[in-house]
Amino acid sequence: MLSGGRATKVGQNVGTQIGDALLDLSGDGRYQVSYDSVGTGGILEVRDSVTGETRRLDGLTGSITIRDAKVLANGDVVIGAVRGGDSELGYYSWATNSYRTLGTAINGAFYNIAVSADGTTIAFSSTTDFTPGGSISNPGGGIVNRIFTVNIATGLIRSGLGSPGAVSDIRISSDGRYVATSQTIGMRIYDFGENSNTATGVALSLSSADRAFGITNDGMLYYNTASNFSGQNTTGFQQIMSYNIATGVTSRLSNFAANTKDSLTMNADGSALYFTSTASLDNSVSSGGYRQMYRFDLLSPGATQMTSHVSSVLNTTARISMDGGRMFDYQNGNDLYEYDTTGADTNIDLEAGFGSRGNIIASLQSLGGAVRGLGSFTLGSVIQARAALDRMQANLSLLGQTRSVIGAGQSRLSIAYNLSLNQRDEALSASGRIGDADVAGESAELVRRSIQREAATSVLAQANQQPALAISLLR
C-alpha cells in the first residue's frame, strides 16, 4: 500500500546539449555532466536541472581529452583527462566556476574514476605507481596496474594491491573506505582501512561480465551476475547477489528468469538498487518488451517496476540518480530527456456512507522513493559539517512530511473503519428488527388460519346436523 504505483509521467525534453553521452548524475539528479565524444573530446557540459543553467567546461580546462567525469552533490566535477600526452586529474568548482589540477601522471591514469558520496575521496585505476602516503602531485615511478584512492582536500594517496587486468568499472562506498572494480579478470574489492595507506584486496569472481551496483560503508557489495557463486546461482540467468567482505558470505537475493540489466545504481545508504531492463522481472506486470526502470528493495528483497513506458524510448546508457527519483537519457541525437521516476501516489477510495459524499479518499505517497536515507557524513571541515547538517535537516523535514502523510492517511482510514463499524451495527440492528417483524407476521397468519379452520369445522358440523333433524321430523 505504501510502495506507490508506477510512474506514468512522460519524459521532458530539457534541451539540446553539446554532448551526446551522459557520464554521471549527482546523487539527487540535480546536476548532470555530459561530453561530446565525436571530434572534440575535451568539451564537457554541466547542467543544473533546477535553474536550467548549463556550463561548458572546455574553456575552463583548456585543450584536453576527457576520459571520465563524476559530478558531486554540489555541482562540482572530478575529471579524468589527458593533456598533451600526460594524464591529469582535475577538479571543477561550480560555486567559483574554476578548474584546478589535482595531479598528473606520465603513464596511463585516471581513465576510470569514482567519487564517494560524501565528496571526500576519489578512487581511480592507474599504471603509474603512486607512493602510498605520498601526494598525488608527486607520482612515483614504474608501471604497474593498481587501484588508488586520494583525499580531495589533502591530496593524500592510499595505494591498493596490484590490479591485474584492465578496469572497466569502479565503485566506491559513501565514506571512501571500500572500492569495488569490474575487470577483465573478474570483480575485486579493496579495503582502504582507516589507519593504513595500503589496502587489502579480495578477488571475488573470474567473469568480466559481472557488474557492481555499489558497495556500502560496512563492506556489503551488491552486484549483478550470471555466474554460479558458491553454488547459489544455478539458474543461468543474471541475479542480484551480495558479498559481505567482513564475513565472506555470498547470498543470492533475486530469482529472476531473465537477463538484460543496465544503468546499475545503488542509493547512498544501501537500502535499494535501481536498474533498467526490457525483461519482466517483478513477476506481476509485464514490461511489454519496453525498457523500464526497476527498484529492488534490499530491506525486503523484491523488484518493483517503476515506469510504464509504452514505447522503446530509453537507451541502455540511461542514468538513474542515487535516490531513484530521476532518470536522464539522450534521445534523438543530442536531446536530453528527464524522467520523474518517483512512484505515483496510491489513492484508496472507501465507500463509508451513502452517495459520493459518503466516500473517504486516502492518498499515500510512494514512501520507498520518499525516504532516501541519510547517506554518509564527514565532519573534517566547517563546510563538510554544514553540508552534513543541511542534509540531516533536509531528511528530518522529509521524515516529518512523510509522517504527516501517513498520519493523515491513518486518520482517514480510522474514520472510514469506525463508520463502517457503525454501519455494520446499524445493519445488524435493522436486520434484527426485520426478523422480529417477520415472526409477528407469521404468528398473526397462524392465528388467522387457525380461526378459519375452526370456523370451517363448526360450519361443517352444523351442516351435518341438518339431515338428522329432517329425518327426526319425518318420524
Side-chain angles (χ1 to χ4, degrees):
M1 188 167 60
L2 302 179
S3 64
R6 290 171 176 78
T8 58
K9 307 175 185 70
V10 178
Q12 300 296 317
N13 186 337
V14 293
T16 300
Q17 309 300 112
I18 190 67
D20 58 5
L22 196 59
L23 287 178
D24 195 35
L25 304 178
S26 60
D28 59 359
R30 173 173 178 172
Y31 296 96
Q32 309 93 48
V33 58
S34 57
Y35 79 113
D36 184 356
S37 61
V38 180
T40 53
I43 298 180
L44 242 69
E45 279 191 345
V46 185
R47 177 180 177 274
D48 183 347
S49 61
V50 174
T51 64
E53 181 181 1
T54 298
R55 297 181 184 175
R56 291 181 57 173
L57 272 61
D58 58 326
L60 297 171
T61 59
S63 178
I64 65 175
T65 300
I66 305 299
R67 296 300 185 185
D68 199 2
K70 294 294 185 289
V71 60
L72 282 62
N74 60 357
D76 292 357
V77 183
V78 176
I79 301 170
V82 174
R83 186 195 298 270
D86 292 339
S87 296
E88 178 176 299
L89 186 64
Y91 190 93
Y92 167 76
S93 171
W94 177 273
T96 62
N97 196 28
S98 61
Y99 175 85
R100 61 188 173 97
T101 300
L102 298 178
T104 59
I106 298 176
N107 301 308
F110 320 127
Y111 277 39
N112 290 281
I113 61 177
V115 183
S116 60
D118 63 8
T120 64
T121 307
I122 304 171
F124 63 94
S125 63
S126 175
T127 55
T128 297
D129 191 12
F130 290 90
T131 303
S135 171
I136 193 173
S137 59
N138 297 306
I143 300 177
V144 57
N145 201 20
R146 290 184 182 274
I147 301 296
F148 300 90
T149 63
V150 57
N151 185 286
I152 294 177
T154 65
L156 178 66
I157 284 285
R158 303 176 93 175
S159 173
L161 296 178
S163 174
V167 175
S168 59
D169 189 29
I170 185 168
R171 303 296 172 104
I172 187 171
S173 60
S174 294
D175 60 1
R177 173 171 177 172
Y178 295 101
V179 175
T181 62
S182 298
Q183 303 172 216
T184 54
I185 48 84
M187 293 186 64
R188 292 193 168 222
I189 303 176
Y190 301 88
D191 179 5
F192 294 83
E194 296 180 359
N195 300 313
S196 174
N197 289 326
T198 303
T200 57
V202 175
L204 187 60
S205 75
L206 298 176
S207 174
S208 61
D210 300 330
R211 290 291 182 271
F213 286 90
I215 187 166
T216 66
N217 291 345
D218 54 2
M220 183 68 76
L221 172 70
Y222 297 100
Y223 58 99
N224 180 58
T225 180
S227 302
N228 187 15
F229 285 101
S230 304
Q232 295 193 46
N233 183 17
T234 59
T235 65
F237 296 109
Q238 293 177 355
Q239 304 293 348
I240 295 176
M241 302 186 73
S242 67
Y243 176 80
N244 191 323
I245 193 173
T247 63
V249 174
T250 298
S251 301
R252 195 182 92 185
L253 305 179
S254 65
N255 190 29
F256 299 145
N259 292 320
T260 67
K261 300 178 188 68
D262 300 290
S263 307
L264 309 187
T265 306
M266 185 184 78
N267 66 358
D269 61 0
S271 62
L273 310 176
Y274 301 95
F275 59 93
T276 63
S277 178
T278 56
S280 301
L281 299 175
D282 64 351
N283 300 320
S284 60
V285 177
S286 171
S287 67
Y290 304 117
R291 185 166 298 280
Q292 309 285 2
M293 172 184 160
Y294 287 85
R295 169 191 169 97
F296 191 89
D297 196 331
L298 293 169
L299 301 179
S300 54
T304 301
Q305 185 179 320
M306 301 301 295
T307 57
S308 297
H309 297 304
V310 293
S311 62
S312 299
V313 294
L314 291 177
N315 297 308
T316 58
T317 54
R319 298 282 180 171
I320 305 171
S321 62
M322 288 182 67
D323 61 16
R326 294 183 183 182
M327 180 166 53
F328 289 84
D329 189 24
Y330 273 116
Q331 298 165 16
N332 305 321
N334 293 3
D335 291 337
L336 183 63
Y337 277 76
E338 177 180 359
Y339 295 86
D340 182 351
T341 51
T342 54
D345 293 351
T346 299
N347 296 317
I348 304 174
D349 191 350
L350 298 175
E351 186 175 346
F354 179 75
S356 60
R357 293 185 178 181
N359 288 14
I360 292 181
I361 299 176
S363 180
L364 300 179
Q365 288 181 326
S366 171
L367 300 188
V371 180
R372 298 168 182 170
L374 298 178
S376 176
F377 295 157
T378 299
L379 306 179
S381 66
V382 174
I383 295 177
Q384 291 174 343
R386 288 177 178 173
L389 182 60
D390 290 342
R391 190 185 308 174
M392 180 71 76
Q393 289 175 337
N395 277 276
L396 287 175
S397 176
L398 180 60
L399 179 61
Q401 295 173 12
T402 303
R403 290 181 63 185
S404 67
V405 170
I406 295 176
Q410 242 181 341
S411 176
R412 289 176 176 270
L413 292 174
S414 296
I415 293 174
Y417 177 70
N418 291 332
L419 286 176
S420 297
L421 285 181
N422 291 336
Q423 289 183 343
R424 174 180 175 274
D425 292 340
E426 292 177 359
L428 289 175
S429 177
S431 176
R433 289 194 298 270
I434 292 172
D436 293 343
D438 288 344
V439 170
E442 291 298 327
S443 299
E445 181 66 16
L446 178 61
V447 171
R448 184 181 70 81
R449 291 182 179 276
S450 177
I451 293 174
Q452 287 179 339
R453 185 173 57 253
E454 291 178 359
T457 302
S458 176
V459 169
L460 182 60
Q462 292 178 8
N464 288 337
Q465 291 176 358
Q466 296 302 321
L469 293 175
I471 292 172
S472 176
L473 292 173
L474 291 175
R475 289 177 182 174

